[in-house]
Amino acid sequence: MALIIALAGTSYAAFSLPNNSVGSRQLRNGAVATGKLRNGAVTTRKIGNGAVTKAKLNVAGVTVPNALHADTAGTATNPYAHAQKLQPTSAFLENGWTTGPGFGVAGYAKDQFGIVHLFGAVSIAAPTTNRIFTLPAGFRPGYNVEVAAAFPSHAVGVLQINPDGTVNPLANTTFVDLEGITFSAGG
């Protein structure tokens, strides 16, 4: 008889608990196991700030799809933050062109993004449109590039850089400032 009363009492208690009457205080440690959680039951809204720490994460199987350099992306706030200092190669000047007075040696360099940078300035005794120098393969544009460049007395002229690597002014001049001229290396 006592057994029947005990079982009946348990059944009655299991079905007569009011909603939200069992909280974290009533649960003993380990009472809710992973297998008892429904998929998707724990969402980001239900996880408190700071509840999941790096020490508790197993990141061995975590991947970021389609992310180039994902392992170092957290430190890159600016795409040029990791740019290397360019070391220009001196250009072999042609047709009587020389390094401009008071300017650095005329040269070129390519950065890690494939952008070619020109440096220095050049001058010549008589006005000309003759070739200044020829860029080597790998530093040439894939198409004709025409850029504004400083000519004598702060005038602006046009410098042409061709796919064959030749660099020349499009108007007669005795001076060309190459500083700041950039273009994408082609092919």
Side-chain angles (χ1 to χ4, degrees):
M1 179 74 138
L3 180 60
I4 292 171
I5 292 171
L7 289 175
T10 305
S11 298
Y12 176 76
F15 291 106
S16 65
L17 290 175
N19 286 340
N20 299 319
S21 64
V22 177
S24 57
R25 257 194 240 162
Q26 287 78 23
L27 293 175
R28 66 176 191 269
N29 286 341
V32 180
T34 304
K36 296 191 180 201
L37 293 175
R38 184 181 76 236
N39 284 342
V42 181
T43 63
T44 54
R45 282 191 345 208
K46 294 180 181 180
I47 299 173
N49 287 339
V52 180
T53 63
K54 184 178 179 181
K56 292 183 179 181
L57 289 176
N58 178 6
V59 294
V62 177
T63 60
V64 179
N66 301 324
L68 184 63
H69 306 296
D71 56 340
T72 58
T75 60
T77 57
N78 176 337
Y80 294 98
H82 299 290
Q84 301 168 349
K85 182 174 167 80
L86 297 177
Q87 297 297 321
T89 299
S90 296
F92 178 75
L93 300 177
E94 304 173 42
N95 299 314
W97 287 95
T98 60
T99 296
F103 290 88
V105 175
Y108 54 89
K110 183 167 59 173
D111 65 25
Q112 69 264 35
F113 305 107
I115 305 297
V116 176
H117 301 258
L118 300 184
F119 297 91
V122 293
S123 63
I124 195 166
T128 184
T129 58
N130 286 344
R131 179 175 57 238
I132 301 170
F133 60 90
T134 303
L135 291 164
F139 292 83
R140 300 172 178 174
Y143 50 88
N144 285 343
V145 173
E146 293 180 356
V147 295
F151 280 20
S153 303
H154 304 290
V156 176
V158 177
L159 186 69
Q160 185 175 42
I161 306 156
N162 302 301
D164 66 358
T166 56
V167 178
N168 60 287
L170 288 183
N172 282 328
T173 186
T174 58
F175 176 86
V176 179
D177 186 355
L178 302 170
E179 286 293 330
I181 295 177
T182 61
F183 57 91
S184 294

